[in-house]
C-alpha cells in the first residue's frame, strides 16, 4: 500500500500466501484508513510486515487492523514487523494499529523500531495482544512504555532479553520456542508443553476495558470465535 495524497478507505488484504520477497511481504503507509490485513500466510520475506512513515505529520488518520496472520522467517534471519520513520517530532495524529491473534515463528526478532519513531512519541496508539511471538530475539527493544498495549501475548525464544513487564502483567513468558524455528511450522497445532496458550487470551469479540481505556469489538472477532473461558493466543483457535 503506497503513500497517497488522499485517504484510502477500507482496504482489505486477506487469504494470500506471500513468500520469498527480497524485503517486504506487506506494508502500510500514510493515508490507509480502516484497513484490514488478515488470514494471510507470510514467510521468508526478511521483513514480513513493514509499517512505513509511522511518524509522518500528514498521516490523515491511519488505522490498520492486522489479525489471524501466520508468519515465519528462517532461523535468526529477518524481522517480522519493522516500523520505519524519519522525523524527530511527534506527528499531528498518531497512526492506530491493532495487532492481534497472529502467530510469529522463527526469524531473528519479532519487532524492529526505527529510533526516530521512538524519539517522536513512540507507538502510543499501537495495541499488541493475543499473539504468539516465538522468535530468536523475542523483542527488539525493552521499553514497553512506548506502546498503547502490549499484553496477553505468548512470548518465547532463545535470546535472553530482560523484560520489564509492568504495566503489562498478562504476557506468558517462556525461555523456549513455541514451534521449531528451523522450518515453516504447522500453525494449526501446538507442540510440547505449550498448553498455556490455550484459553489465555483476551476476549476481543465484545467491547472491553483495559486499564481504564475502552475498546470496541475488533474486526474478525465475532461472538463465538472461541469456546470455553477465553480464546487461544495466536492465529488459530486450538
Amino acid at each position: 500500500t503506497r503513500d497517497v495524497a488522499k485517504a484510502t478507505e477500507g482496504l482489505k488484504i486477506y487469504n494470500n500466501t506471500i513468500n520469498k520477497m527480497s524485503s517486504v511481504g506487506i506494508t502500510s503507509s500514510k493515508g490507509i484508513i480502516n484497513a484490514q490485513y488478515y488470514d494471510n500466510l507470510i514467510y521468508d520475506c526478511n521483513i514480513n510486515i513493514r509499517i512505513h512513515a509511522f511518524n509522518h505529520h500528514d498521516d490523515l488518520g491511519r488505522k490498520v487492523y492486522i489479525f489471524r496472520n501466520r508468519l515465519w522467517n528462517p532461523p535468526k534471519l529477518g524481522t517480522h514487523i519493522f516500523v520505519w520513520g524519519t522525523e524527530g517530532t511527534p506527528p499531528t495524529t498518531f497512526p492506530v494499529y491493532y495487532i492481534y491473534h497472529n502467530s510469529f515463528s522463527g526469524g531473528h526478532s519479532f519487532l524492529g523500531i526505527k529510533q526516530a519513531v521512538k524519539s517522536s512519541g513512540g507507538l502510543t496508539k499501537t495495541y499488541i495482544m493475543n499473539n504468539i511471538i516465538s522468535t530468536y530475539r523475542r523483542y527488539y527493544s525493552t521499553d514497553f512504555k512506548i506502546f498503547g498495549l502490549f499484553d496477553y501475548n505468548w512470548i518465547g525464544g532463545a535470546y535472553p532479553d530482560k523484560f520489564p513487564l509492568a504495566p503489562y502483567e498478562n504476557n506468558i513468558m517462556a525461555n523456549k520456542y513455541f514451534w521449531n524455528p528451523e522450518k515453516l511450522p504447522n500453525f494449526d497445532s501446538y507442540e510440547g508443553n505449550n498448553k498455556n496458550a490455550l484459553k489465555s487470551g483476551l476476549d476481543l469479540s465484545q467491547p472491553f476495558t483495559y486499564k481504564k481505556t475502552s475498546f470496541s469489538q475488533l474486526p474478525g472477532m465475532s461472538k463465538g470465535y472461541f469456546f470455553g473461558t477465553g480464546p487461544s493466543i495466536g492465529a488459530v483457535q486450538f
Side-chain angles (χ1 to χ4, degrees), residues 3-226:
D3 289 359
V4 290
K6 296 182 179 180
T8 298
E9 174 80 30
L11 174 72
K12 293 185 178 182
I13 300 176
Y14 62 97
N15 289 346
N16 299 285
T17 296
I18 303 170
N19 68 299
K20 293 182 172 58
M21 303 296 288
S22 62
S23 180
V24 178
I26 292 178
T27 187
S28 65
S29 193
K30 57 182 180 178
I32 305 300
I33 299 176
N34 292 324
Q36 297 181 24
Y37 301 170
Y38 61 96
D39 291 342
N40 299 290
L41 174 62
I42 309 171
Y43 65 96
D44 199 3
C45 294
N46 189 36
I47 298 173
N48 284 327
I49 297 175
R50 179 182 170 101
I51 298 175
H52 195 71
F54 190 87
N55 52 351
H56 199 281
H57 280 267
D58 299 320
D59 193 83
L60 304 179
R62 186 187 335 181
K63 181 181 289 185
V64 181
Y65 300 89
I66 300 172
F67 59 95
R68 285 201 315 260
N69 299 287
R70 295 152 293 152
L71 308 97
W72 176 81
N73 265 333
K76 300 182 183 180
L77 296 175
T79 300
H80 286 286
I81 299 177
F82 183 73
V83 185
W84 181 87
T86 58
E87 300 180 28
T89 57
T92 303
T93 302
F94 280 93
V96 178
Y97 277 85
Y98 291 90
I99 302 172
Y100 55 98
H101 276 303
N102 301 283
S103 294
F104 302 91
S105 180
H108 178 269
S109 56
F110 161 58
L111 182 64
I113 306 170
K114 191 77 171 177
Q115 182 58 42
V117 173
K118 297 180 184 180
S119 62
S120 60
L123 293 83
T124 56
K125 292 188 178 180
T126 295
Y127 310 103
I128 301 175
M129 51 200 152
N130 288 6
N131 301 283
I132 293 174
I133 300 168
S134 176
T135 64
Y136 170 67
R137 187 164 186 171
R138 294 170 292 180
Y139 176 51
Y140 188 79
S141 171
T142 55
D143 187 3
F144 280 76
K145 296 178 182 178
I146 65 174
F147 299 101
L149 192 161
F150 196 119
D151 212 348
Y152 289 92
N153 303 287
W154 192 101
I155 305 174
Y159 194 91
D161 287 351
K162 295 181 180 180
F163 288 84
L165 292 180
Y168 308 124
E169 67 271 13
N170 300 298
N171 289 304
I172 297 173
M173 310 302 296
N175 292 316
K176 62 179 180 178
Y177 292 103
F178 197 92
W179 294 285
N180 179 358
E182 299 290 330
K183 61 182 180 179
L184 182 68
N186 175 8
F187 289 102
D188 293 335
S189 64
Y190 59 90
E191 301 173 4
N193 297 316
N194 294 325
K195 292 184 179 180
N196 53 3
L198 303 177
K199 302 180 181 180
S200 299
L202 190 63
D203 181 3
L204 307 181
S205 67
Q206 56 187 342
F208 63 96
T209 299
Y210 179 90
K211 296 186 183 298
K212 299 182 180 180
T213 299
S214 297
F215 296 86
S216 300
Q217 174 187 350
L218 296 182
M221 303 292 113
S222 59
K223 188 174 182 180
Y225 81 92
F226 66 89

